[in-house]
Structure formats: C-alpha cells, structure tokens
Amino acid sequence: MKSFRLPGQMLFRILLLSGFLCMGQVPPGQECALGGRITNLLTGAPVRKALVVLTSSGAAHWSRSVISDGNGRFALRGIPPDRYRLAVRREGFLPSTYGAKGPNRPGKLLVLAAGQKLEDVNFVLEPPAVISGHVFDEDAEPVQGAAVQALREDFTRGTAQYTPIGSATTNDIGEYRLFGLPSGRFFLLSGQTRVNQNGGGLVYPPVFYPATTDFAAAATVNVAAGGEARDIDLHVVKTSAVTVRGTVANLPPGAERLLQLQISRKDRARVNFGNRTSGGFNSSTGQFEFHDLTPGSYVMSGWIQDTARFLYGRQEIEVASADLDDVRFTLASGLEIPGTLKFVGGSPPAAGPQRVWLSRVESSGPTPAAAVAADSSFVLKMVTPDTWEVGVTPIPPGAYIQSIRLGEDDALTRPLTIAPTAKGPLTIVIDLRGGSVEGTVRTAGEKGSGVESATVLLVPEREYQGVVSYFKTAITDSGGHYELRGVAPGKYRLFAFEDMEPLAY
C-alpha cells in the first residue's frame, strides 16, 4: 500500500476551505447577497414584519430567513452560490414565492453564481379575499352546522377537477365566512347535513350555490383581491335519507376482512359532494349497509387484493326516495393483459426500463402497472372491466407515442374500454423520430423584447386533442426562448400565454 504526503501549504488550503463549509460560512469572494422590497398589491404600501425564507434546492440544505423592516425592505448576506427557493409569508396576506404568477402558484429557482449580488428581488403580496353568507332551509330558517366549501378549478391531474380552497361551518344563525381566499372564481358547496341530532331520517343534501344539486346548473362567485363577496346565501331543502343494503357475491371464504367496499356519488365533474355516509361491510355477516344517502346516481366499488389473488367489482346504483334492500354486488377475478412495447425509428433506448400503466377514467380502485421486460413484453395484472387511460413512463427524449391498440381497438385517441372477455394483446408503439419546434416569445412591436417565464402551448388538431401527451408546453427562458421536443407529425396551433395554470389546457 502506497502513501503520500501533501505539501503543507496545499494541506492548509484544503483544511481552510473545509472549515468554511463545516461552519456554514462561504469562502471569501464567493459570498452572494440579495435584497428587495415587499409591498401591498392594493395600496402599494410597504409590508413590514414579513418573513422571507431562502432555502437551497441542492444537497447542502442551506437555509436562512429574515424579517422585512419598517420600509418593507429585506437583505440576506453571506449566501453560498447555489440554486434556491425564495418565499415570503405574512399574516393578512397570501403567501408568495419567487417567480410565481400569483399566490399558491409554483415559482421558479433563483440561481446565484459565486459573488453575485441581487438588490431588486421585489415581492407584491396579495391581501386575501372573503366570501360570506348564510345557509337557509325551505322555510327561510338558518341551518346550523352546515359545512360550506369554496371550490376552484384544478388541472394538476390533466382534467378539470374542483378542489376545496377554503371551508367553514355555519354558526347558530346559519352564517358562514370563508376567509384567506385568493382572488378568482369559485363554486360554493354546502355539504350534506343532518336536520337534527335525532334526525328522523331527514337530511339536507349537498347543494351548490345558489340552490341546486346539479353541478352543471351551479352559479359561480367572483371575488377580487382583498375584496369580500357578502350575502352569498345557499338554500337547501330537507329530504329523506336512504339506506342501501345487500350482500357480496363470489366472496372467497376467509377473505371477508380483506374486502374494501365503498360507495360514492357519480359525478363527471369529480366534485367532492361531502356525503356523510356511515356503515359499510360487515365481515362477520357478509352484508353491507350504507346510510344517509340522498337521491341521485352512485357508483359502488370494491376489491380484494393480496399476494395470491385480485377480485374487483363495480356497480352503478340509482337511489330514489326509498331504501334499497337485497342489492347483490358481484366480485370477479382480475384480468391479465399481455402486451408489447415497440420502438421505431431507431435503436431502443439503453436507459430504461419503461413501465406501462393504466389509470381509471371515472371509478376508483387499484391501478395496474407493469415493467417492460428485456424482450419488450409486459403483462398488466389486476385489470378489471372498466374504462382506462394508457400511459408509458418514461418516454425517451424527442420521442412520442405513435399508437396504442388493444387487439384492433384504438386506445390512443380515446379511452380504452376493457370488456370482461378482453385478452389482448396491448401493443404500444413509440416513434423515436419526434419533431421539434423552437422560437422566441416577444412583446409586440418591431423592437419587442423577449418575454421571460411565458407559457408556450402546442395544440394538436382535433382528432388528437384527447391525447394529453400530444400537447406540448414549455416555459421561456430569460431571453424568451423556448423549445418543444417529441412532437408527433401533424397539424398544430401554437399559443403563448403570459400566465396559465399548469395543465389548464
């Protein structure tokens, strides 16, 4: 074993640098600094006592915070060069993040090079909005204990869903107050509420503002930053609560305690109706009961899953004004769908391995996924008759999904419907020769400058508008430049937005 000795001066320099890093200090000449001012969006006045937090996104986990002064100014010194997240919090205002287009929106990384100093990292904080009103019954009497939610469109899963942004419970005079809201457009939902503790089998069903159980007929409420929308009253009508009872067919002996059974309101808008159902499956009797259901369409789903088997059932149930007894819920064995992943236009990528997955379009339950073997084959297990979306992860850079077929059925441009007799094969073709589009987003005029952080969107022709992966987006850099890769051949429309929520397209 050989040994060596470092020259004394070199050893000293190494130890000195290590000492700076261990003590959280930065070597001379590399310190970064940043500062700015925080103001009120509505008044322009300085915001004092705001908490400013700088956190590294690298492996060093470096963090520092400071409080803004009486003029709304803040300063951070002695910062190591790195990539950072910068956030501001203050009571009475909505949180803000560096590079974000608005409150509760994703920001961007702040990159600091060695010795860099930024003095104009300014924030404008938005005061929260308020929605207030009452919940009344059919006799114009207040409803106490009703849970009211403000719902906002959310596209983070690729389709419009409606996520609660704020919630409140009505008081003894039926009054609610939703505070801390961002500006924007909201749906209001009053959740299901018992008429009284003893109930008598009566409930107030879930109602959208102003007085409808149909989401398509719901009105919206618009509120500005720092504003208050008052007297936004919801009106509910009591109805009889219904119970659904029945038995589970094809339940294997000894599997009773493994069964997961649930019932939910059928709603294509994917709104949480807030139904307060009680009951469920009784493993000792093999029967199920679900209480406090109100008239409407429901989906009942259940499954058993362990290392040896997978059973699944799904059944649509129409609930009217009377109890449903002797409902028979049937479990069936999950299917196995074999398939092949093919690459065209070049050699298969060496990175791999790819995974093929299925996602339920409407119902809930386990979602099958399978790794692609070296011979490009895969087997999706625990598949049930249902409507599915098909996906592949990862798709090689610059590639696109050319086709997805189950036997002769197209599963690329429309959801895949799997019948109880489906056998496959599922064939997925990925073309490695995807096109690219690049350019610059500029402000209007002959001498327009590049627009940073704009969203560029490439929209396929109508035939392929159901293929989410054919939509391509990019965020422009500091010069307004963008590049879109992995574009399938075809006709497109190109858009640029100064601001757009992720996946809102």
Side-chain angles (χ1 to χ4, degrees), residues 152-459:
R152 195 173 192 180
E153 281 186 320
D154 176 16
F155 300 94
T156 54
R157 297 183 184 178
T159 56
Q161 299 184 16
Y162 296 87
T163 303
I165 298 297
S167 62
T169 302
T170 57
N171 60 18
D172 60 321
I173 60 172
E175 183 182 37
Y176 73 89
R177 189 172 187 270
L178 299 163
F179 60 92
L181 302 176
S183 57
R185 182 174 70 107
F186 297 92
F187 294 89
L188 294 187
L189 172 65
S190 174
Q192 182 166 303
T193 310
R194 285 185 176 273
V195 172
N196 53 56
Q197 290 297 325
N198 297 322
L202 295 176
V203 297
Y204 297 111
V207 165
F208 291 102
Y209 172 75
T212 179
T213 58
D214 182 8
F215 176 74
T220 57
V221 178
N222 291 285
V223 60
E228 180 172 357
R230 297 183 176 89
D231 300 323
I232 307 300
D233 298 336
L234 293 97
H235 299 269
V236 297
V237 177
K238 63 176 69 73
T239 186
S240 297
V242 173
T243 296
V244 174
R245 303 181 182 89
T247 57
V248 179
N250 298 347
L251 185 61
E256 295 86 357
R257 297 187 181 278
L258 298 176
L259 176 64
Q260 299 185 57
L261 197 62
Q262 64 184 33
I263 190 168
S264 58
R265 191 78 174 248
K266 184 180 180 182
D267 174 55
R268 291 185 182 273
R270 301 187 183 185
V271 174
N272 176 14
F273 276 83
N275 282 331
R276 297 178 181 176
T277 60
S278 58
F281 179 70
N282 188 324
S283 59
S284 61
T285 65
Q287 296 183 325
F288 60 82
E289 284 192 7
F290 290 99
H291 308 291
D292 294 345
L293 301 177
T294 55
S297 299
Y298 292 82
V299 174
M300 187 172 174
S301 57
W303 58 91
I304 294 174
Q305 180 180 352
D306 58 19
T307 56
R309 63 198 160 189
F310 174 71
L311 301 175
Y312 180 84
R314 180 181 184 274
Q315 185 172 332
E316 295 188 6
I317 297 175
E318 290 295 325
V319 173
S321 57
D323 291 351
L324 286 177
D325 296 310
D326 301 324
V327 175
R328 185 176 176 83
F329 183 78
T330 303
L331 293 171
S333 297
L335 305 173
E336 290 193 1
I337 304 294
T340 304
L341 179 64
K342 297 181 179 179
F343 292 94
V344 297
S347 301
Q354 271 73 30
R355 289 182 64 82
V356 177
W357 48 265
L358 299 179
S359 176
R360 299 178 191 273
V361 174
E362 293 182 5
S363 60
S364 58
T367 53
V372 179
D375 63 355
S376 299
S377 67
F378 60 86
V379 178
L380 289 164
K381 300 181 180 180
M382 304 189 306
V383 181
T384 60
D386 210 334
T387 304
W388 302 85
E389 292 178 352
V390 185
V392 179
T393 306
I395 297 176
Y400 69 95
I401 300 177
Q402 184 187 84
S403 66
I404 303 175
R405 306 194 74 85
L406 180 64
E408 297 300 319
D409 295 333
D410 171 36
L412 176 66
T413 59
R414 53 182 176 268
L416 173 65
T417 300
I418 295 181
T421 56
K423 297 182 179 179
L426 180 64
T427 304
I428 304 173
V429 179
I430 294 181
D431 196 328
L432 301 171
R433 300 165 295 185
S436 63
V437 178
E438 64 176 310
T440 303
V441 177
R442 299 183 182 277
T443 56
E446 295 182 3
K447 298 182 179 180
S449 57
V451 179
E452 182 181 6
S453 299
T455 298
V456 178
L457 171 65
L458 192 67
V459 179

